[in-house]
Amino acid sequence: VFNQALVRRRSSVSPHSTDMTFRTERRVPRLGVMLVGWGGNNGTTVTAAVLANKLGLTWTTKTGEKKANYYGSLLQASTVCLGSGLHGEVNVLLRDLLPMVHPNDIVFDGWDISSMDLGRAMERAQVLDWSLQEQLRPHMCHIKPRPSIYIPDFIAANQESRADNVLTGSMSQQVEQIKADIRDFRQSSCVDKVIVLWTANTERFCDIIPGVNDTAENLLASIQAGVEEVSPSTLFAVASIQEGCAYINGSPQNTFVPGAVELAVQQGVFIGGDDLKSGQTKIKSVLVDFLISTGIKPTSIVSYNHLGNNDGKNLMAPQQFRSKEISKSNVLDDMVRSNPVLYQPGEKPDHCVVIKYVPFVGDSKRAMDEYTSEIMMGGLNTLVLHNTCEDSLLASPILLDLVILTELCQRITVRPEGDEDFQSFHSVLALLAFLCKAPLVPPGSPVVNAFFSQRACIENIMRACLGLPPQNHMLLEHKLQRNFTSPQSSTTSDVCSLKKVPLMNGSHVPLTNGQYGPLDDAAHAI
Amino acid sequence: MSVNIHINSPNVSYSDANIEAKYTYQTTSVITDGNQVIVSPHSTDMTFRTERRVPRLGVMLVGWGGNNGTTVTAAVLANKLGLTWTTKTGEKKANYYGSLLQASTVCLGSGLHGEVNVLLRDLLPMVHPNDIVFDGWDISSMDLGRAMERAQVLDWSLQEQLRPHMCHIKPRPSIYIPDFIAANQESRADNVLTGSMSQQVEQIKADIRDFRQSSCVDKVIVLWTANTERFCDIIPGVNDTAENLLASIQAGVEEVSPSTLFAVASIQEGCAYINGSPQNTFVPGAVELAVQQGVFIGGDDLKSGQTKIKSVLVDFLISTGIKPTSIVSYNHLGNNDGKNLMAPQQFRSKEISKSNVLDDMVRSNPVLYQPGEKPDHCVVIKYVPFVGDSKRAMDEYTSEIMMGGLNTLVLHNTCEDSLLASPILLDLVILTELCQRITVRPEGDEDFQSFHSVLALLAFLCKAPLVPPGSPVVNAFFSQRACIENIMRACLGLPPQNHMLLEHKLQRNFTSPQSSTTSDVCSLKKVPLMNGSHVPLTNVFISHRCL
């Protein structure tokens, strides 16, 4: 039963229930993931991490032996409370709720404009401990990314020196090559499904030009004609969609121009994005959610970042930085809008984002934030945060969550009562919002950035697939005077054995000092 | 901008006296057997009844002349009078920012123009803070006008406007047992009760009755916002049962703290008692007394600054699969709380109250933490007079991320102690009063029952939540908030907030025509399912049959 409430006028709330059937296909397919930007820091780190987990590697550092793990993955390392058992609450990993792909079983492939093999690329990334790299190198040095699409205008000029592995030919020939690559990978690796994920350079934003990229038809025609305003990432998206493969945008640019979205809807292929929510923005969506949900009013949020990886180098260029800035800027909107007491219509906190390239810090990104908030009676609360982010180690598990969750969604269908057939989720897979900085949602759907709402959404939809009610956090069985639950869950017996007493909290004391307040006191509050 | 909410549902009925809502409460029970986990969903039908008449509420503060006491009194007065005052950055207006009930919202559902958010205070009939009548006790005789000045919390131009209203208010004499608070508090103690322990308790009870009579309030709630006391020893025969505790008070036994005496007096007068400080006021005998008398008790310690953020950040980290391994918190503050906490025994109370905030979150994730494993956790508090009420909290969170990597979060928080605590204090008493008007009847029961005397619903507002015996302690910030929100929704027959937005996630619309703002979603052409696996599997190689 899916419950919702409709609010008609200010005053009238009508609860509605819709009965529906969730169907989850139990067969977990063999999943192939193709990364655009495979040789980058995220690409090499995620490939190496999966390999190390699969091989059960351990390595020694000065602080002792380390073991491969998937910390930071929502699905692999975080839990949900299933209910209460004999020994208290039972928490299970999200990955155990429904049949889903294990990251160890993912087969990777991909493209990169740099021809460097993954072994050397892992070394260039400077992310993983050296003693781990030494063990992984023999497995990775023979892997070379496929040649990729390079249109210099879309990324920073400083990327040119890396671009030694690029496709040539007309725009449509390059798209055909990408499609051939997908088919080749699917065939040669014997995977059942392929998902394509962009974790390459941030591109500049595309202009949305009527006749060029505003409809699926125009977009396909523009590709045929080789029109300028079609970005490499949009070309990859089109190729994936045409091959029936879900496409996820892990960078901030507007890959999903209206024509690309329309194409995905037409083809019934999932698309999701934009931009991995890994570090500063993730914490921002937590802290602002927290502040506003306790009635505190953030009035100024200033974020400074510096990083020294290739992402930082590319973002030195103003147009690419602009993409990132847009992606980071809207994270406050839904939370601000949700509280009309703190914010007048149109009012927003000051919000400023700076990103600097500092080679020395490498992949160890620093994020410094200042949150100034108005508290009661004109007071100010100032939060200053310094966050050492380890960019690719935070991003890699999110990247895995994205593809595994997308694959799971491909096996879930829903039939609302009264409908004849089951339907899939909308092609724009809004469920991925938790993992994305600037969530892509279907037209007309509210964008939710608030961290804990996003997580509850994933958890409750997975529970729905199992016929379990949403997590209500109420623990009523522990809050009343007497027990009302079935005998099985009788761990709380000392609660229920407490003597029942007449109600005399406060107002139930005989009111000898009467003087009831005027009755309209009560009326105005109702 | 108050709104009236009416629930349009056959399950909800409004009478002059009550709102009655039929509600289905859903739980799951779990049996684990090795790798097998068997989950059985259960539903219990119940009726929530909320009395609609909002009483006139009196609040008595222990430590009325302290920073929290004067700030909350002044803030309510300024709001009631609609005061504005000028500072160098412009005109300021009295408000209740930082109050869960008065300044934060919940999403009620979707209307014609998107989602509709309302203030929590508008969900159910409840006391408005402006209507609260204050009274209280303090070991310092200073009038509230001068005490407000001593606190150095509010802007001077606001103080000038408030002083005429506050300077004639003097706290009632309080109970002072030097052994329980720091020796440095002695110089303030010029307004204390004398006589035997039981005489002092009788005086407190007489004070409560006097206030109730003279101020014409319907209900009184007592809240401790005075000095942090040292922890009491739990001694069999002294404070382990209600009977023993009452006998100890009669005999004037040493190991009964002033805060426990206040709690006993309140409970015996039928007044809910809330402990806004960390000490263990609620010794087993005091809890038993409250249960016997059917009076609400709640606590401990206001969750206002550093611990609140800690319960947010740790909830966040662990719920994304990141493993906090070391959490170090340094605080310095210059108000009287800081001065009192210089004494080791009082600091110890605070340390205990702050230390358990991680436990439930750590326990919830057996992948990150082996049984018994905990992050390093260290709390330091220093008294630095200059910073006054503007408390500084510096935290370092070091967490293990993927493949041995580390994530380091360093936080510097300028907390404005009393301005953050005051709205929480108001939320505590208003929520407690509301709970006194809510009763629940599970299907099959004959009569309605009240919440358990130990009011666990207040957990969101407390550092070390007091819960009924056998009940899990929840510190995780967003679970706590969802609990309050969903119980208030239940009183209106509304289902828990599910955050799913399914009506926006499927290919076609399934909701009633009224909510047709999403028409461009539902008008999208329905397409055959061909995401990934629905492509004809020409290259089939089914490697695992994971059924």
Side-chain angles (χ1 to χ4, degrees):
Chain A
V1 178
F2 177 64
N3 288 306
Q4 45 175 174
L6 298 178
V7 185
R8 232 164 261 160
R9 300 185 308 277
R10 266 251 130 106
S11 49
S12 172
V13 184
S14 312
H16 294 278
S17 294
T18 311
D19 288 322
M20 36 177 77
T21 308
F22 279 80
R23 179 187 282 168
T24 309
E25 208 183 307
R26 295 178 77 176
R27 193 183 77 80
V28 176
R30 188 168 154 85
L31 177 65
V33 171
M34 297 188 85
L35 301 173
V36 192
W38 197 13
N41 288 18
N42 286 345
T44 55
T45 303
V46 74
T47 308
V50 166
L51 205 53
N53 273 283
K54 199 170 178 171
L55 300 171
L57 295 187
T58 59
W59 65 102
T60 306
T61 71
K62 64 181 178 184
T63 58
E65 192 180 81
K66 305 284 168 192
K67 228 182 122 213
N69 63 37
Y70 287 117
Y71 289 178
S73 159
L74 174 76
L75 298 174
Q76 309 303 320
S78 90
T79 59
V80 288
C81 178
L82 259 192
S84 36
L86 288 174
H87 308 289
E89 310 213 306
V90 177
N91 296 283
V92 298
L93 290 175
L94 263 86
R95 73 158 182 232
D96 292 330
L97 282 181
L98 292 170
M100 59 181 104
V101 173
H102 192 285
N104 286 2
D105 299 330
I106 294 176
V107 184
F108 284 97
D109 198 310
W111 301 266
D112 204 291
I113 57 170
S114 158
S115 64
M116 195 179 272
D117 72 70
L118 290 198
R120 277 167 56 223
M122 166 177 72
E123 194 174 330
R124 175 180 61 183
Q126 301 188 343
V127 172
L128 296 169
D129 285 331
W130 185 251
S131 50
L132 174 61
Q133 286 189 37
E134 286 181 321
Q135 295 183 63
L136 288 169
R137 193 166 298 107
H139 303 276
M140 293 178 64
C141 62
H142 62 278
I143 309 176
K144 276 204 175 190
R146 300 170 191 259
S148 191
I149 302 176
Y150 175 53
I151 308 180
D153 177 45
F154 280 91
I155 57 175
N158 61 30
Q159 297 301 307
E160 203 192 333
S161 57
R162 277 169 89 120
D164 63 352
N165 191 40
V166 301
L167 292 176
T168 51
S170 71
M171 194 177 265
S172 61
Q173 283 171 335
Q174 296 193 23
V175 170
E176 285 309 317
Q177 181 57 48
I178 300 301
K179 288 162 70 173
D181 289 343
I182 295 173
R183 287 192 301 268
D184 173 62
F185 169 58
R186 191 189 275 149
Q187 206 108 45
S188 61
S189 66
C190 302
V191 294
D192 302 325
K193 264 189 206 183
V194 174
I195 293 176
V196 179
L197 186 144
W198 177 280
T199 180
N201 272 319
T202 295
E203 298 174 334
R204 69 163 172 82
F205 258 52
C206 271
D207 293 329
I208 311 297
I209 304 172
V212 172
N213 49 17
D214 56 339
T215 67
E217 201 182 341
N218 289 338
L219 178 61
L220 294 178
S222 299
I223 293 172
Q224 280 306 321
V227 171
E228 261 180 25
E229 204 58 24
V230 181
S231 68
S233 67
T234 300
L235 296 175
F236 271 98
V238 167
S240 305
I241 293 165
Q242 289 187 331
E243 286 298 313
C245 299
Y247 183 87
I248 298 164
N249 176 27
S251 288
Q253 69 272 353
N254 61 344
T255 299
F256 300 116
V257 294
V261 175
E262 198 192 12
L263 188 68
V265 172
Q266 281 174 4
Q267 306 278 322
V269 171
F270 284 149
I271 54 174
D274 295 321
D275 209 2
L276 307 180
K277 184 158 87 170
S278 59
Q280 187 180 44
T281 304
K282 197 169 180 180
I283 290 219
K284 197 176 282 177
S285 71
V286 171
L287 285 178
V288 176
D289 191 6
F290 151 64
L291 290 167
I292 294 181
S293 72
T294 50
I296 290 173
K297 179 184 180 177
T299 45
S300 149
I301 299 172
V302 184
S303 298
Y304 300 98
N305 300 263
H306 57 274
L307 72 172
N309 55 21
N310 193 49
D311 183 26
K313 191 172 173 192
N314 181 55
L315 291 177
M316 286 169 80
Q319 284 195 306
Q320 282 68 34
F321 170 70
R322 182 71 190 133
S323 294
K324 197 77 183 177
E325 196 179 35
I326 293 172
S327 143
K328 280 174 169 262
S329 67
N330 297 321
V331 64
L332 312 171
D333 293 358
D334 58 320
M335 296 172 269
V336 166
R337 238 190 350 258
S338 77
N339 195 320
V341 173
L342 298 180
Y343 298 97
Q344 300 303 311
E347 189 186 356
K348 274 187 178 194
D350 294 341
H351 189 196
C352 171
V353 178
V354 174
I355 302 179
K356 290 288 167 195
Y357 176 56
V358 176
F360 174 78
V361 300
D363 204 64
S364 183
K365 183 171 163 183
R366 312 298 157 89
M368 282 170 283
D369 296 82
E370 187 194 67
Y371 299 80
T372 313
S373 306
E374 219 177 296
I375 56 175
M376 204 178 71
M377 306 301 288
L380 293 180
N381 175 244
T382 309
L383 274 169
V384 180
L385 201 71
H386 183 286
N387 190 354
T388 311
C389 284
E390 304 300 340
D391 220 6
S392 303
L393 289 178
L394 287 174
S396 294
I398 292 172
L399 196 155
L400 292 170
D401 287 338
L402 278 169
V403 294
I404 293 170
L405 208 53
T406 302
E407 192 289 315
L408 172 64
C409 288
Q410 291 174 341
R411 287 182 285 115
I412 296 175
T413 49
V414 185
R415 186 172 58 82
E417 183 96 333
D419 277 22
E420 296 241 319
D421 43 4
F422 282 81
Q423 55 175 312
S424 175
F425 287 114
H426 191 278
S427 272
V428 177
L429 197 55
L431 198 66
L432 305 180
F434 177 80
L435 305 159
C436 296
K437 271 201 193 78
L440 193 70
V441 298
S445 169
V447 179
V448 177
N449 287 296
F451 178 85
F452 286 90
S453 298
Q454 289 176 335
R455 190 178 192 277
C457 175
I458 294 180
E459 175 180 347
N460 288 334
I461 286 182
M462 288 173 73
R463 292 172 69 102
C465 293
L466 295 167
L468 296 176
Q471 177 59 264
N472 58 42
H473 298 287
M474 288 161 75
L475 288 176
L476 263 190
E477 60 277 28
H478 294 291
K479 286 201 169 61
L480 298 185
Q481 295 190 334
R482 283 164 292 156
N483 203 348
F484 57 85
T485 52
S486 59
Q488 194 253 322
S489 66
S490 57
T491 39
T492 62
S493 55
D494 25 4
V495 179
C496 60
S497 65
L498 283 171
K499 199 174 128 218
K500 197 218 151 191
V501 288
L503 297 170
M504 56 164 288
N505 285 308
S507 70
H508 302 278
V509 173
L511 293 165
T512 47
N513 59 346
Q515 300 285 116
Y516 274 90
L519 268 179
D520 42 354
D521 249 6
H524 86 78
I526 290 163
Chain B
M1 57 155 299
S2 199
V3 297
N4 289 328
I5 291 169
H6 181 85
I7 308 303
N8 184 14
S9 159
N11 293 325
V12 183
S13 64
Y14 291 83
S15 68
D16 285 345
N18 297 316
I19 302 172
E20 267 192 30
K22 292 204 186 86
Y23 184 75
T24 304
Y25 179 62
Q26 296 180 303
T27 51
T28 42
S29 57
V30 185
I31 300 170
T32 40
D33 179 16
N35 273 342
Q36 280 291 358
V37 178
I38 297 163
V39 183
S40 320
H42 297 279
S43 292
T44 311
D45 287 323
M46 37 178 77
T47 308
F48 279 81
R49 178 189 281 169
T50 310
E51 208 182 306
R52 296 176 78 174
R53 195 183 78 79
V54 176
R56 190 168 151 85
L57 177 64
V59 171
M60 297 188 85
L61 301 174
V62 192
W64 197 13
N67 287 17
N68 285 346
T70 55
T71 303
V72 74
T73 308
V76 166
L77 206 54
N79 274 282
K80 198 172 181 170
L81 300 171
L83 296 187
T84 59
W85 65 102
T86 307
T87 71
K88 64 181 178 185
T89 58
E91 192 181 80
K92 305 285 169 190
K93 229 181 123 215
N95 63 39
Y96 287 115
Y97 288 179
S99 159
L100 174 77
L101 299 174
Q102 309 303 320
S104 90
T105 59
V106 288
C107 179
L108 260 191
S110 37
L112 287 175
H113 308 289
E115 308 214 308
V116 177
N117 295 283
V118 298
L119 290 174
L120 263 86
R121 73 157 184 233
D122 291 329
L123 281 182
L124 292 170
M126 60 181 103
V127 174
H128 192 285
N130 286 1
D131 299 329
I132 294 176
V133 184
F134 283 97
D135 199 311
W137 302 266
D138 205 289
I139 58 170
S140 159
S141 64
M142 195 179 274
D143 71 70
L144 290 198
R146 278 168 55 222
M148 166 178 70
E149 193 175 328
R150 176 180 61 185
Q152 302 187 344
V153 172
L154 296 169
D155 285 331
W156 184 252
S157 50
L158 174 61
Q159 287 189 36
E160 285 181 320
Q161 294 183 63
L162 287 169
R163 194 166 298 107
H165 302 277
M166 293 178 65
C167 63
H168 62 278
I169 308 175
K170 275 204 174 191
R172 299 171 190 260
S174 191
I175 301 176
Y176 175 52
I177 308 180
D179 178 44
F180 280 90
I181 56 176
N184 61 31
Q185 297 300 308
E186 204 194 334
S187 57
R188 277 168 88 120
D190 63 352
N191 191 40
V192 300
L193 291 176
T194 53
S196 72
M197 195 177 265
S198 62
Q199 283 171 335
Q200 296 193 24
V201 170
E202 285 309 317
Q203 181 56 49
I204 300 301
K205 289 163 70 175
D207 287 344
I208 295 174
R209 287 192 300 270
D210 173 63
F211 168 58
R212 191 189 274 149
Q213 206 109 47
S214 61
S215 66
C216 302
V217 293
D218 302 326
K219 263 188 205 182
V220 173
I221 293 176
V222 179
L223 186 145
W224 177 281
T225 179
N227 271 319
T228 295
E229 298 174 333
R230 69 162 172 82
F231 258 52
C232 271
D233 293 331
I234 311 297
I235 305 172
V238 172
N239 49 18
D240 56 338
T241 67
E243 201 182 342
N244 289 338
L245 178 60
L246 293 178
S248 299
I249 293 172
Q250 279 307 319
V253 170
E254 261 181 23
E255 204 58 24
V256 182
S257 68
S259 67
T260 301
L261 296 176
F262 271 98
V264 167
S266 305
I267 292 166
Q268 290 187 329
E269 287 298 312
C271 299
Y273 183 87
I274 298 163
N275 177 27
S277 289
Q279 70 272 354
N280 62 344
T281 299
F282 300 116
V283 294
V287 174
E288 197 191 10
L289 189 68
V291 171
Q292 280 174 5
Q293 306 278 322
V295 172
F296 284 151
I297 55 175
D300 296 321
D301 209 2
L302 307 181
K303 184 158 88 168
S304 59
Q306 188 180 43
T307 305
K308 197 169 180 179
I309 290 218
K310 197 176 283 177
S311 71
V312 171
L313 285 178
V314 176
D315 190 5
F316 151 64
L317 291 167
I318 294 182
S319 72
T320 50
I322 290 174
K323 179 184 180 178
T325 45
S326 149
I327 299 172
V328 184
S329 298
Y330 300 98
N331 300 263
H332 56 274
L333 70 172
N335 55 22
N336 193 50
D337 184 26
K339 191 172 173 191
N340 180 55
L341 291 176
M342 286 169 79
Q345 283 194 305
Q346 282 68 34
F347 170 70
R348 182 70 190 134
S349 295
K350 196 78 185 177
E351 196 180 34
I352 294 172
S353 142
K354 280 173 168 266
S355 66
N356 297 321
V357 65
L358 312 171
D359 293 358
D360 58 319
M361 296 172 268
V362 166
R363 237 189 352 257
S364 77
N365 195 320
V367 172
L368 297 180
Y369 298 97
Q370 300 303 310
E373 189 186 356
K374 275 188 180 194
D376 294 341
H377 188 196
C378 171
V379 178
V380 174
I381 302 179
K382 290 290 167 193
Y383 176 56
V384 177
F386 175 78
V387 299
D389 204 64
S390 183
K391 183 171 163 183
R392 313 298 157 88
M394 283 168 284
D395 296 82
E396 187 194 68
Y397 298 80
T398 313
S399 306
E400 219 177 293
I401 57 175
M402 204 178 71
M403 305 302 287
L406 293 179
N407 173 243
T408 309
L409 273 170
V410 179
L411 199 71
H412 184 286
N413 190 355
T414 311
C415 283
E416 305 300 338
D417 219 4
S418 303
L419 289 177
L420 287 174
S422 294
I424 291 172
L425 196 154
L426 292 170
D427 287 339
L428 279 169
V429 295
I430 293 170
L431 208 53
T432 302
E433 193 288 316
L434 172 64
C435 288
Q436 290 174 341
R437 287 182 286 115
I438 296 175
T439 49
V440 186
R441 186 171 58 80
E443 183 97 331
D445 278 22
E446 296 242 316
D447 44 4
F448 281 82
Q449 54 175 313
S450 175
F451 287 114
H452 192 278
S453 272
V454 177
L455 197 55
L457 198 65
L458 305 179
F460 177 79
L461 304 159
C462 296
K463 269 199 194 80
L466 193 70
V467 298
S471 169
V473 180
V474 177
N475 287 296
F477 179 85
F478 286 90
S479 297
Q480 290 177 334
R481 190 178 192 277
C483 175
I484 294 179
E485 176 180 347
N486 287 335
I487 286 182
M488 287 173 75
R489 291 172 68 101
C491 293
L492 295 168
L494 295 175
Q497 176 58 263
N498 59 41
H499 298 288
M500 288 160 75
L501 287 175
L502 263 191
E503 62 275 28
H504 294 290
K505 288 201 168 60
L506 299 185
Q507 295 190 333
R508 281 164 292 155
N509 203 347
F510 56 84
T511 53
S512 59
Q514 195 252 326
S515 67
S516 56
T517 41
T518 62
S519 55
D520 25 3
V521 180
C522 60
S523 65
L524 283 171
K525 199 174 127 217
K526 197 215 150 191
V527 289
L529 298 169
M530 57 164 289
N531 286 308
S533 69
H534 302 277
V535 172
L537 293 165
T538 47
N539 55 349
V540 185
F541 244 77
I542 302 171
S543 54
H544 11 210
R545 286 229 164 238
C546 296
L547 294 184

